[in-house]
Amino acid sequence: MESPHLPAEIISYILSFLHVTDRKEASLVCKSWYDACQDPQFQKNVTFKFPVSTSSLDFIRSLARSPRCGLVISHVDGSSLSRQVLMEVGLHLGPRLDSLALPGSSVTETSLLGLLPHLTGLRKLDLQGLDSLFMSGAFLSREEHRRQVQNALRNLEELDLSDLRYLSDLSFNRLTSCTPRLRSLSLAGCHISFEFDPYRGCPVGFGSSALVSLRNLLSFLQKQAATLHSLDLSRTSITPESLRSIATLPGLRLEELSLHGCKELTDYSIEILCKQQSGLRTLDLRACTELTSRTVLAVATELKELRSLSLSQDWKITDKGLAELMTLPSLRSLDLSECLHVSGADLVKGLSSPQPRAQLETLSLRNCTYIKDTVMLSLTQLLGCNLRELDLTSCVCLTDLSVRAITTYLPALVVLRLGWCKEISDWGLLGMVEPTKDCEPTDKKEYKGPSFTRTFGNMGFFQPPSLPFQEKPRLVTEEDLGAFREHQEGASLLALRGLQELDLSACFKLTDTSITQVLRFPDLQRLSLSMLPEISDDSLVSVAYHCRSLTSLALSHCPQISDQGMARALPLLHKLQHLFLACCDAVTNETLAIIALHCDRLRTLDVSMCKDITVHQVDLLQSQLPFLKKVQCRFANGADFTMV
């Protein structure tokens, strides 16, 4: 089908309204649509990912006509094919290559040194985990190689050296001497000796050939203080004294700092950091387990330009200081997941203060088990239309009232995670009030007299108290659904029109009644309905019909999902890339045959512990789907295939 009557510019304009995956499909319609899809406006900031293979050679040559792009090439080793792939990259892309990453590779020094001099326009280089380059200690040891690489990397802005076990002062200095304009450096997970050299049994020296020392790192930071704005020292053994040394370096003005998993850091060291580096915009303090609310107060007091803060897994942090934190006008992202003592009351207090106050776009309260409906009702009203991502996974005290508050006051949500909120039911998703429940949240319960407990069972003297799991919720009837359809938009989940990710895992009370009525999101890409024992094929088919943009679907531990449902749903999910069906006992080899017919984009499949899935059919499926790279089939058909 050709469309010669429309100019390419008009077709390109029309196609610009499509998502990139849809535009890729449109490019296959005809030649004029293909040419329109090659418009330079669609080729900006594009990164191509592929493994080393014979077919990748032709693909690299086809990129010769493309504008600037990035490459992520996996499984590069010392073979002749890998060397040829890198040579083709240098020959056909050369100065137009914007970024390069080589994950899961064991590239040789000769191959990389043959490529780098051609990449004169490179802005980002990712050498994460490439121990093969640094194991010998001879990387860039020759002066002529350093001159060639320095000429190519003179404009490099981002360098990732994370997880390099053999990085030393010597190799680090040789490489960074070729990158005079670095803006971002990552040394996450590297063996940095901050105080003591374990190889020499003495304090850290300078110019070590075995490890990176604090003195050498301070020297580098001093030289590049004018340009360096981002530093990642996550998962290192940095000490409070070392952090203070870095923070007080003259001329160093960091905007982004990551200290994830640095367990020795103290509140005092973070206070010094905040005073000396007051221009920080992004601060990651996840899993710094010694930090307390003193750190929160220091951040709120000193970092007035902060946009993103992560305090996940900092178990000693309480509500104290969160009210002050909410007065930072630039704050857009806050992660408090697994801060077990946070109840959210001070978040409400801070957001209730007069302007200026934080305009949060992303909020994570995952595993904050003290979060209650009353707090969520206030938070949702205060956050309003700004919030786009909300994670409430495992906030086990939340009920349908919180769901109604979310759908009423947060219409701009793109990501919503409610996994393991076990009190959420069909009523909440439908935006209706269960007739047997109160309409408003309350923390005060009516006094009903003294209660008695006995450790040796009920002897007949007292009526034992009713337990939560003994209360059976009132089921939604056809009459209730009729009322819902009359006021469909209301406070139901349908109000979140732009939702792209939804997690309802382990919300055990959910049934087909709500799933078939409210999961109707044309832009939804990731959906998890795992561990919902009451949903059946009806829910699956309804989701497939109304959510055709899905790329990831999780249905693990849904015993009523069967081959019949998969046969009706999968032909509608053309974009599906990740499918999880672990412990779906009604799923058999027939589903694998259906997947082979309709899911040609599938990359990940989990059929673990599906008793009627055979290893032969799994192998056959992998041979039929070229993009299927990860298959989990542990204990399928009663055997552990991962051991074969």
Side-chain angles (χ1 to χ4, degrees):
M1 184 183 84
E2 294 288 337
S3 52
H5 56 287
L6 284 179
E9 293 80 4
I10 300 298
I11 301 175
S12 297
Y13 176 74
I14 296 172
L15 295 176
S16 67
F17 293 96
L18 295 179
H19 188 271
V20 62
T21 55
D22 295 323
R23 196 159 55 241
K24 180 181 177 182
E25 292 293 324
S27 69
L28 303 177
V29 171
C30 63
K31 186 177 185 302
S32 59
W33 285 27
Y34 175 82
D35 292 337
C37 288
Q38 304 309 307
D39 191 291
Q41 67 169 316
F42 301 139
Q43 307 298 323
K44 296 177 182 178
N45 302 319
V46 177
T47 299
F48 299 97
K49 301 173 66 175
F50 56 89
V52 167
S53 64
T54 52
S55 60
S56 60
L57 295 172
D58 292 332
F59 174 70
I60 293 169
R61 294 172 189 136
S62 70
L63 295 178
R65 301 184 300 273
S66 302
R68 296 183 65 85
C69 65
L71 293 183
V72 178
I73 311 175
S74 57
H75 304 99
V76 181
D77 53 25
S79 65
S80 58
L81 179 59
S82 292
R83 290 195 298 271
Q84 188 177 358
V85 166
L86 296 182
M87 287 176 59
E88 294 290 332
V89 170
L91 178 63
H92 295 286
L93 294 175
R96 291 182 294 105
L97 193 65
D98 192 70
S99 65
L100 176 66
L102 303 170
S105 300
S106 54
V107 64
T108 62
E109 298 175 31
T110 305
S111 299
L112 190 61
L113 291 176
L115 170 64
L116 289 180
H118 298 282
L119 310 183
T120 54
L122 203 64
R123 294 289 185 272
K124 180 178 180 180
L125 179 60
D126 185 349
L127 301 179
Q128 178 180 359
L130 297 184
D131 288 324
S132 57
L133 274 180
F134 300 92
M135 189 178 298
S136 67
F139 183 59
L140 289 176
S141 58
R142 297 176 61 177
E143 182 64 29
E144 59 179 305
H145 289 159
R146 287 201 296 274
R147 282 198 301 268
Q148 292 174 349
V149 173
Q150 186 173 21
N151 182 58
L153 301 185
R154 62 183 181 276
N155 293 318
L156 192 73
E157 296 180 355
E158 298 181 41
L159 179 61
D160 190 341
L161 300 177
S162 0
D163 300 309
L164 293 175
R165 289 180 292 174
Y166 304 106
L167 188 66
S168 66
D169 283 346
L170 294 179
S171 53
F172 177 77
N173 291 343
R174 291 171 191 154
L175 180 56
T176 53
S177 67
C178 303
T179 58
R181 296 190 177 99
L182 271 188
R183 293 181 56 85
S184 174
L185 173 67
S186 175
L187 294 171
C190 290
H191 186 186
I192 303 176
S193 184
F194 290 97
E195 291 184 343
F196 186 80
D197 188 339
Y199 298 102
R200 297 179 180 176
C202 62
V204 179
F206 186 80
S208 171
S209 60
L211 44 77
V212 177
S213 66
L214 174 62
R215 293 185 184 181
N216 193 74
L217 180 59
L218 290 174
S219 175
F220 163 77
L221 294 175
Q222 184 70 66
K223 292 176 184 176
Q224 302 222 7
T227 60
L228 194 72
H229 296 299
S230 177
L231 182 62
D232 188 350
L233 295 174
S234 300
R235 296 179 283 112
T236 62
S237 56
I238 186 171
T239 62
E241 294 76 14
S242 303
L243 181 60
R244 290 200 294 270
S245 299
I246 293 173
T248 55
L249 271 177
L252 184 64
R253 294 293 178 265
L254 292 176
E255 296 179 1
E256 299 179 13
L257 178 61
S258 180
L259 298 168
H260 175 208
C262 298
K263 299 182 183 297
E264 297 184 33
L265 296 181
T266 62
D267 290 324
Y268 181 65
S269 62
I270 300 299
E271 289 171 346
I272 298 296
L273 171 70
C274 293
K275 289 179 181 178
Q276 298 296 325
Q277 300 294 329
S278 57
L280 279 171
R281 296 173 179 268
T282 301
L283 182 59
D284 185 352
L285 297 174
R286 288 175 294 165
C288 297
T289 52
E290 294 302 312
L291 301 183
T292 70
S293 293
R294 277 181 57 190
T295 288
V296 180
L297 287 169
V299 169
T301 304
E302 304 292 343
L303 304 184
K304 299 302 183 182
E305 299 178 19
L306 193 68
R307 292 184 61 86
S308 176
L309 175 64
S310 181
L311 299 171
S312 175
Q313 298 179 329
D314 293 347
W315 302 315
K316 295 183 179 181
I317 287 178
T318 65
D319 282 327
K320 185 178 180 181
L322 294 181
E324 290 79 3
L325 195 64
M326 289 298 98
T327 62
L328 296 179
S330 299
L331 192 64
R332 295 295 180 268
S333 176
L334 178 62
D335 184 357
L336 294 172
S337 54
E338 299 186 54
C339 293
L340 305 180
H341 302 291
V342 169
S343 70
D346 274 37
L347 289 176
V348 173
K349 180 181 177 181
L351 289 170
S352 302
S353 64
Q355 297 284 0
R357 64 186 187 193
Q359 302 293 320
L360 290 180
E361 297 175 358
T362 301
L363 176 62
S364 177
L365 297 171
R366 175 171 52 87
N367 275 13
C368 294
T369 53
Y370 288 164
I371 300 291
K372 302 289 181 64
D373 286 332
T374 48
V375 167
M376 284 310 303
L377 181 60
S378 300
L379 274 179
T380 52
Q381 295 181 64
L382 292 167
L383 293 171
C385 296
N386 292 316
L387 198 68
R388 295 179 60 80
E389 297 185 22
L390 178 61
D391 189 349
L392 298 173
T393 305
S394 294
C395 293
V396 293
C397 293
L398 298 185
T399 70
D400 294 334
L401 295 173
S402 291
V403 178
R404 292 180 61 206
I406 290 168
T407 55
T408 302
Y409 299 111
L410 304 178
L413 273 186
V414 175
V415 176
L416 176 60
R417 302 188 183 101
L418 296 171
W420 292 93
C421 295
K422 301 179 183 180
E423 296 303 313
I424 292 176
S425 69
D426 292 333
W427 296 99
L429 266 59
L430 292 170
M432 303 174 70
V433 180
E434 185 179 349
T436 56
K437 295 293 181 68
D438 294 330
C439 297
E440 298 296 332
T442 176
D443 288 335
K444 297 181 180 180
K445 296 184 178 180
E446 180 184 355
Y447 179 70
K448 297 181 179 180
S451 60
F452 301 91
T453 60
R454 305 190 72 90
T455 58
F456 49 87
N458 179 26
M459 296 179 63
F461 296 107
F462 310 107
Q463 178 68 30
S466 61
L467 299 176
F469 60 80
Q470 293 175 332
E471 299 177 3
K472 295 184 179 180
R474 180 185 180 280
L475 298 179
V476 179
T477 65
E478 285 297 326
E479 183 180 350
D480 298 323
L481 284 180
F484 165 72
R485 295 187 185 102
E486 290 180 9
H487 311 282
Q488 201 169 37
E489 291 301 319
S492 77
L493 208 63
L494 286 171
L496 307 180
R497 298 173 182 273
L499 213 57
Q500 296 181 15
E501 179 178 343
L502 178 63
D503 184 358
L504 297 173
S505 303
C507 297
F508 302 114
K509 295 183 180 181
L510 297 181
T511 69
D512 291 336
T513 304
S514 61
I515 300 298
T516 56
Q517 297 296 324
V518 299
L519 262 62
R520 302 182 177 187
F521 305 107
D523 297 325
L524 193 67
Q525 298 176 23
R526 296 174 295 278
L527 173 64
S528 178
L529 299 176
S530 296
M531 292 178 280
L532 301 187
E534 299 299 324
I535 68 170
S536 67
D537 290 337
D538 291 340
S539 289
L540 173 58
V541 174
S542 176
V543 165
Y545 184 80
H546 294 103
C547 308
R548 301 199 184 193
S549 296
L550 281 177
T551 60
S552 177
L553 178 60
L555 297 167
S556 299
H557 296 269
C558 294
Q560 298 188 51
I561 299 297
S562 68
D563 293 333
Q564 290 73 28
M566 302 302 291
R568 295 164 59 194
L570 291 181
L572 303 174
L573 300 176
H574 301 292
K575 300 179 182 179
L576 198 62
Q577 297 180 16
H578 310 282
L579 180 60
F580 304 91
L581 299 171
C583 295
C584 292
D585 290 337
V587 170
T588 70
N589 285 335
E590 184 180 338
T591 288
L592 298 188
I594 298 167
I595 291 173
L597 284 175
H598 302 289
C599 302
D600 53 355
R601 294 186 181 183
L602 202 66
R603 297 175 180 271
T604 305
L605 176 64
D606 187 356
V607 290
S608 302
M609 292 178 278
C610 293
K611 57 186 180 64
D612 293 320
I613 298 285
T614 63
V615 65
H616 172 73
Q617 197 68 22
V618 171
D619 290 340
L620 179 61
L621 179 66
Q622 287 186 281
S623 67
Q624 294 172 321
L625 298 181
F627 297 108
L628 186 57
K629 301 299 180 184
K630 185 176 181 180
V631 177
Q632 295 287 339
C633 54
R634 186 177 178 84
F635 295 114
N637 199 231
D640 187 357
F641 301 143
T642 60
M643 305 300 291
V644 177

